Amino acid sequence: MSPATGARRRAREVAFRVAYQADVAGDRYAEAWTLRRESEERLSNDQLELVDDVVRLLESSADRIDGELQAALEDRWSVARLAATDRAVLRVAVAELLARPGSPARVVLDEAIEIARTFGSEDSGGFVNGVLDRAARRLRPAEF
């Protein structure tokens, strides 16, 4: 893993933690990020920008993000029924796909799958892979 990839992975994990905290505590995303940002020492400007972009879109477009996820879930599940860890990973990845067109979709998916494997259940990686593949193909068809 290159230093840039590792740095972005860390930023994506921070964004995941923010989304998870907001979801579980019922906080606004911006509020959760403000609280976490104080404890996240040594994030580079690039890392802060990635988290800021994702949190900003989660804050302003939560319904759109959940709508994209619901479409990708294809009526098999509802977003509300998902495990909180899976829901947070999926929301962050969809937000990044929307907010940061320069981030390659496949990289966003691969990173989200790894975060799901690290923080979710045994089945989270495969589940997140399937849902995000459908979402990314709708959001970024030119990349597939």
Side-chain angles (χ1 to χ4, degrees):
M1 180 180 309
S2 77
T5 303
R8 289 203 182 100
R9 163 75 62 86
R10 181 158 182 252
R12 288 179 178 108
E13 286 181 2
V14 169
F16 158 76
R17 287 184 179 107
V18 168
Y20 179 80
Q21 178 182 334
D23 189 21
V24 171
D27 295 337
R28 292 181 41 236
Y29 294 103
E31 180 182 343
W33 175 219
T34 299
L35 293 171
R36 177 155 294 277
R37 189 176 190 150
E38 294 171 6
S39 67
E40 291 297 336
E41 298 175 26
R42 295 181 256 178
L43 286 179
S44 70
N45 287 338
D46 181 59
Q47 290 170 313
L48 288 170
E49 187 177 302
L50 190 151
V51 179
D52 284 342
D53 288 348
V54 167
V55 170
R56 192 176 307 111
L57 197 65
L58 286 168
E59 185 74 26
S60 69
S61 302
D63 289 342
R64 178 180 180 200
I65 291 165
D66 281 359
E68 294 292 345
L69 287 175
Q70 192 59 61
L73 289 165
E74 299 177 335
D75 296 328
R76 295 181 192 155
W77 292 90
S78 70
V79 173
R81 281 193 58 210
L82 300 177
T85 51
D86 294 348
R87 188 169 47 242
V89 170
L90 291 166
R91 284 175 170 161
V92 166
V94 169
E96 184 176 357
L97 288 169
L98 291 168
R100 297 181 58 98
S103 295
R106 291 195 187 278
V107 171
V108 174
L109 270 65
D110 288 346
E111 294 279 326
I113 293 162
E114 288 306 313
I115 291 169
R117 286 183 180 141
T118 300
F119 295 99
S121 72
E122 184 178 317
D123 298 327
S124 290
F127 177 74
V128 165
N129 181 30
V131 174
L132 282 182
D133 183 66
R134 285 187 294 278
R137 287 175 188 279
R138 285 173 38 95
L139 295 170
R140 302 253 194 103
E143 293 186 51
F144 292 91

